[in-house]
Amino acid sequence: MESSQFPEQLQTEAYKIFSSNDVKPMETLFSLLLSPQEPQRSHAYNLLLCCKDHYPCLFFIKLSYLLRFASNIDTRANCARVLNFVQVQNLWPKLPSLAQVNMKNLFLDCLQTEKFMPVLRNLCEVVSDVAGEVFKGQDQWQELFDFLGRSLALEDDKFQETALLVFAYMPYDCRRLICEALLPRIDLLYEGLLRALASENVDVKVAAFGALVNLLHLFSGSLGPEWFNDLLRAMMMGVFDLLKGEKEECAQKGLQELTKLAMEEPQILRPYLNTLVPEMLHLVDRRTVKDETKRCAIQFLMTMVQAKALEPAIQMLPSECLVGLFIIPMRMLIGIQDAVAWYDMGSVEGDNAGETDTYKYGIECLNQMSIVFGGKKIVPIAFKVLTVYMDATEWERRHAGITMLGVISKECSYEMVMMEDYLQRAVKIILTSFQDSHPRVCWAAFHFMQLPTDLVGTIQILHHSSIVPALVAAVDKEQNPRVEEEVASALFFFVKSISQDCLIMYIDLDIILRKLLALLQGNGRTDRCRSIALCTFNTIAKQWRGACVKHSANYLPVLLEACTDKNSELRKEAICGIRICAEFGGSQFKPFIKSALSKLTVVMAYPNRSCIEDLKASDIAVSAIGKICEFHRDIINATKLVPTWLSFLPIKDDLTEAKSVHEQLCSMVERFDKELFGPGCEHLPKIVIVFIEVHSSPHIIFST
């Protein structure tokens, strides 16, 4: 709810609660906030926001005083939580100067007197945010730093953890300012952090991890380069000590802080890569380590790989480290699941069903590693690993192998084509996977053949003699419906990707067209599969007109039936096929001109205007009738059909057909087509209107 929406009654109630000298109304408010019941919880939440927006000073001061003086521990803890929740940085600038001074003193007092650690841990975050606002406002808070320095020097775990947490929570945008202010105390902080990183108290050790990361600018400068080395080594030893001591949850926090460091200041870690990477790889391989800890280590490793500042150093890692890094995302790819939704053709998830977050992250990491390491280093490793994965009995590993091949081909196609025999090995893997026992592996192989990479393009050119027969053999083979769709799609990708001369040279078009026809006529094929088959026929027919003449008589019954199908994409492709047959089918088309005109007239006259595919289908139908008028005028009633065609112009939704149709109109005008103009040029006004509309609509393609 925005502040302008808070009713006056709610404002009055909020003011009454926060201005009361009695602590009970606030305690009641906190209990309602934690209540599982509605609408009490929402009402309490709105009271908080209302007071924060309308009475920010009262809100901040009330919570701060209760945080210090409330006798009930839960009340103090809730005050700290609420201050964190509403973000102090939104309230502090609204306080008068005198109130800010009082609040600084009050918070310092709280840090020294509070004994309950859950309250202190929340309070430390509030104090850090306040300190950030103080320094951003060009002010100082020397008393806080004096207290923190003294606390680090004490042999008291509570004070040590408190000081470390304040440093650990310092806002990112003011760390440099705070580090500059801390410079006179650098010796004291260095000694205190070293002690904390070696502490037997786990909470102190973990707090020191965050403090070190936030104070790195203080120790990584020219005044103390060795100090940072000492502290980072101590941090790593602390992490591994926690692992040895079976304190994995605490070790995870240390790894998370290292990841944070790799994200924010990766160059700091450059001198330590030769130590960090092997240690982390060893951690990931340890069987006794929990999965969550391994995930933290992997996140740290991949963050370093993705850091631009570390690229030169990462590239210089020993080969065994590169292999270890490469295996990590390969293991992630095994995280794909054989989801039931993948087999359900009506599922919304479709082809991507079962792709877990881990699987997707593996793809992201592989892609980044391809960029960082380059093909010369990554390709030999990839094919060494690939052999193991493709020979595995688990389908997930074989699927991971093909996925990896596709991912690295985006960046490393040149090396995969030019180095050793990697191209031949890739082709062998793909051909074998076309016939894999698991449908998801088959699907991945056919999907691979549609990737717009130089590797796939080279395979198409140099190995068409083995790839094309395998694709053609799979076209009408009964298998999983989703695989059938991908087979048809892979063949279509091949057909549209090569030139007309290559198309005739590489493949037997008669065989392909007969198989496509069988696929279209077979029962149980999905709409998408049939639609792709029609796209393939249309592409071949346009590129090789002989195929259209030879096979249009067989295809036209299928096309005519499909042009009224309930699936809009299928309708559009069928009508496109009729248009192509009308133009290139010759005498084979003539017997179908009448079972065609009636269908096309319905399609172009009654499109579903809420469906773009239907609107495009209507435009294609208009174009098809134009082709009938142009190439089959001897057996139609041109006096009636040509004006009907003209009445639907201009067309605007399918720009490809718009160009063809409007060029045809120009040609007919130039030769003064008598059926177009009509008796006494009665259709001339409509022709002029079409020209005017086309010229006034820039998106309509028109030939000049």
Side-chain angles (χ1 to χ4, degrees):
M1 183 178 289
E2 298 178 1
S3 59
S4 59
Q5 296 176 314
F6 290 126
E8 189 172 336
Q9 181 180 353
L10 193 69
Q11 296 179 38
T12 302
E13 185 180 355
Y15 182 81
K16 183 178 179 181
I17 292 173
F18 280 82
S19 63
S20 173
N21 290 327
D22 187 359
V23 74
K24 292 297 183 184
M26 284 297 296
E27 291 179 340
T28 301
L29 181 65
F30 289 145
S31 66
L32 290 176
L33 273 175
L34 300 174
S35 170
Q37 302 297 322
E38 293 288 2
Q40 294 95 323
R41 184 171 56 189
S42 295
H43 181 66
Y45 177 72
N46 286 332
L47 280 169
L48 275 180
L49 295 184
C50 178
C51 192
K52 174 195 169 188
D53 288 351
H54 288 276
Y55 316 107
C57 295
L58 175 63
F59 179 87
F60 190 83
I61 293 170
K62 178 71 172 183
L63 289 173
S64 301
Y65 271 93
L66 285 179
L67 180 61
R68 171 63 185 92
F69 297 110
S71 59
N72 186 290
I73 291 176
D74 290 336
T75 301
R76 299 200 303 275
N78 285 329
C79 286
R81 292 190 190 102
V82 170
L83 281 171
N84 276 329
F85 173 72
V86 297
Q87 298 180 320
V88 169
Q89 56 267 37
N90 296 327
L91 297 170
W92 183 261
K94 298 176 181 179
L95 292 177
S97 298
L98 182 59
Q100 290 182 346
V101 172
N102 290 335
M103 289 300 99
K104 286 160 63 175
N105 293 333
L106 185 144
F107 283 131
L108 268 177
D109 196 24
C110 284
L111 289 175
Q112 296 176 72
T113 58
E114 179 59 60
K115 293 181 172 57
F116 191 53
M117 281 309 299
V119 175
L120 266 175
R121 288 174 184 135
N122 279 287
L123 173 61
C124 288
E125 190 167 355
V126 176
V127 172
S128 293
D129 286 336
V130 170
E133 291 304 306
V134 169
F135 277 87
K136 282 190 284 187
Q138 305 301 313
D139 201 353
Q140 298 291 319
W141 197 357
Q142 294 300 332
E143 300 86 352
L144 173 66
F145 289 160
D146 290 340
F147 166 74
L148 298 177
R150 291 194 305 272
S151 297
L152 276 180
L154 294 173
E155 294 294 332
D156 185 300
D157 289 345
K158 178 179 82 76
F159 279 103
Q160 283 188 18
E161 184 182 352
T162 298
L164 292 166
L165 286 176
V166 172
F167 287 130
Y169 288 132
M170 287 294 180
Y172 180 78
D173 56 354
C174 60
R175 286 182 199 165
R176 286 187 180 273
L177 288 172
I178 291 175
C179 284
E180 290 174 8
L182 288 170
L183 198 56
R185 300 172 175 82
I186 187 171
D187 294 13
L188 188 65
L189 293 172
Y190 169 71
E191 296 294 338
L193 279 169
L194 273 182
R195 279 197 304 274
L197 289 167
S199 174
E200 295 296 322
N201 185 301
V202 172
D203 293 325
V204 171
K205 189 189 294 283
V206 170
F209 295 155
L212 173 58
V213 171
N214 270 8
L215 296 176
L216 65 93
H217 290 293
L218 179 64
F219 297 106
S220 60
S222 57
L223 291 178
E226 294 303 319
W227 288 346
F228 181 73
N229 295 349
D230 294 342
L231 290 168
L232 187 59
R233 280 195 292 269
M235 181 176 178
M236 288 301 303
M237 290 176 62
V239 171
F240 287 105
D241 283 344
L242 289 171
L243 288 171
K244 291 175 185 175
E246 298 184 351
K247 301 286 186 181
E248 286 200 37
E249 289 185 4
C250 298
Q252 292 164 17
K253 293 179 181 178
L255 292 170
Q256 289 164 0
E257 290 295 339
L258 282 172
T259 302
K260 178 181 171 184
L261 179 60
M263 292 175 64
E264 296 174 354
E265 304 286 347
Q267 70 281 357
I268 295 291
L269 295 172
R270 189 181 300 164
Y272 311 100
L273 285 185
N274 284 333
T275 301
L276 285 173
V277 173
E279 289 283 3
M280 290 298 136
L281 289 174
H282 178 66
L283 175 61
V284 171
D285 284 334
R286 283 171 59 180
R287 293 183 179 180
T288 56
V289 174
K290 294 178 181 177
D291 288 343
E292 183 57 35
T293 307
K294 291 183 179 181
R295 277 194 286 271
C296 291
I298 289 170
Q299 180 72 39
F300 174 51
L301 284 168
M302 292 302 115
T303 301
M304 290 196 294
V305 169
Q306 293 169 357
K308 286 285 185 184
L310 296 180
E311 276 191 19
I314 288 284
Q315 291 173 352
M316 298 300 293
L317 286 171
S319 59
E320 57 268 23
C321 287
L322 300 188
V323 173
L325 287 171
F326 191 86
I327 289 174
I328 287 175
M330 289 300 296
R331 289 173 178 168
M332 295 182 196
L333 295 185
I334 301 174
I336 194 167
Q337 297 175 355
D338 204 13
V340 175
W342 191 84
Y343 296 88
D344 179 8
M345 300 309 292
S347 169
V348 177
E349 295 177 74
D351 296 341
N352 300 323
E355 294 183 1
T356 61
D357 290 340
T358 301
Y359 173 84
K360 293 174 184 175
Y361 185 51
I363 289 178
E364 179 185 331
C365 293
L366 273 177
N367 185 62
Q368 185 63 30
M369 291 179 69
S370 300
I371 295 171
V372 172
F373 295 122
K376 288 186 178 179
K377 288 190 175 181
I378 212 72
V379 170
I381 295 173
F383 275 86
K384 183 178 180 180
V385 173
L386 192 61
T387 301
V388 177
Y389 272 67
M390 297 313 299
D391 290 341
T393 55
E394 305 93 339
W395 74 268
E396 294 93 341
R397 290 183 177 272
R398 302 196 301 275
H399 186 278
I402 298 173
T403 302
M404 177 268 282
L405 204 59
V407 172
I408 67 171
S409 70
K410 295 177 182 178
E411 299 292 336
C412 308
S413 281
Y414 177 81
E415 289 79 8
M416 295 171 80
V417 170
M418 301 302 293
M419 290 172 59
E420 299 190 19
D421 63 341
Y422 295 135
L423 179 62
Q424 287 75 13
R425 290 170 64 184
V427 171
K428 183 178 179 181
I429 287 170
I430 294 303
L431 287 173
T432 302
S433 300
F434 281 172
Q435 303 177 52
D436 195 275
S437 59
H438 199 282
R440 297 210 66 160
V441 180
C442 292
W443 184 94
F446 289 114
H447 181 73
F448 171 86
M449 287 307 302
Q450 302 168 65
L451 297 177
T453 65
D454 291 340
L455 174 64
V456 172
T458 303
I459 291 175
Q460 287 182 334
I461 294 172
L462 299 182
H463 292 272
H464 62 273
S465 58
S466 55
I467 290 292
V468 173
L471 285 175
V472 173
V475 167
D476 56 352
K477 178 182 176 183
E478 286 195 18
Q479 47 194 331
N480 176 276
R482 204 172 291 281
V483 175
E484 290 176 350
E485 290 182 354
E486 212 60 23
V487 171
S489 186
L491 180 62
F492 174 61
F493 183 84
F494 184 88
V495 167
K496 73 175 183 178
S497 299
I498 60 177
S499 66
Q500 180 177 347
D501 291 340
C502 291
L503 183 65
I504 300 171
M505 185 185 305
Y506 290 169
I507 55 182
D508 189 331
L509 296 179
D510 286 340
I511 293 177
I512 288 183
L513 290 173
R514 283 198 292 270
K515 282 181 172 283
L516 289 174
L517 183 62
L519 188 152
L520 289 167
Q521 292 174 329
N523 295 325
R525 309 292 184 181
T526 66
D527 289 341
R528 180 171 177 260
C529 187
R530 295 170 64 209
S531 178
I532 295 170
L534 285 177
C535 284
T536 308
F537 167 76
N538 293 341
T539 302
I540 292 174
K542 281 190 289 188
Q543 289 194 32
W544 187 44
R545 298 181 183 181
C548 187
V549 173
K550 188 172 183 179
H551 294 275
S552 61
N554 294 326
Y555 269 89
L556 276 165
V558 176
L559 297 175
L560 291 171
E561 181 180 357
C563 74
T564 55
D565 193 273
K566 62 181 180 181
N567 182 276
S568 57
E569 180 65 30
L570 194 59
R571 287 198 303 273
K572 188 189 78 171
E573 292 303 329
I575 294 165
C576 185
I578 293 172
R579 202 238 350 123
I580 293 170
C581 288
E583 184 173 359
F584 305 121
S587 60
Q588 295 284 334
F589 182 72
K590 293 188 184 298
F592 300 92
I593 287 178
K594 286 184 179 179
S595 55
L597 288 177
S598 63
K599 297 267 190 179
L600 294 172
T601 301
V602 172
V603 170
M604 68 183 187
Y606 303 105
N608 179 0
R609 300 205 169 273
S610 64
C611 175
I612 186 61
E613 297 300 324
D614 257 21
L615 292 173
K616 287 185 176 182
S618 178
D619 283 0
I620 299 169
V622 173
S623 179
I625 287 183
K627 298 304 179 187
I628 292 173
C629 292
E630 183 175 357
F631 295 101
H632 304 280
R633 192 171 293 198
D634 55 327
I635 58 171
I636 63 169
N637 184 349
T639 304
K640 181 179 179 181
L641 189 59
V642 172
T644 300
W645 173 73
L646 177 63
S647 69
F648 284 96
L649 302 186
I651 60 175
K652 303 177 180 180
D653 294 297
D654 190 303
L655 299 184
T656 301
E657 295 299 333
K659 182 177 185 296
S660 174
V661 168
H662 299 142
E663 284 180 348
Q664 181 180 347
L665 176 64
C666 289
S667 176
M668 293 171 73
V669 169
E670 286 174 357
R671 67 174 184 262
F672 201 76
D673 188 288
K674 63 180 182 178
E675 283 83 12
L676 177 68
F677 283 92
C681 292
E682 64 180 4
H683 302 143
L684 181 58
K686 173 61 177 177
I687 295 171
V688 173
I689 290 172
V690 172
F691 276 93
I692 292 173
E693 285 192 40
V694 170
H695 277 293
S696 63
S697 303
H699 68 283
I700 301 179
I701 300 175
F702 186 75
S703 173
T704 56

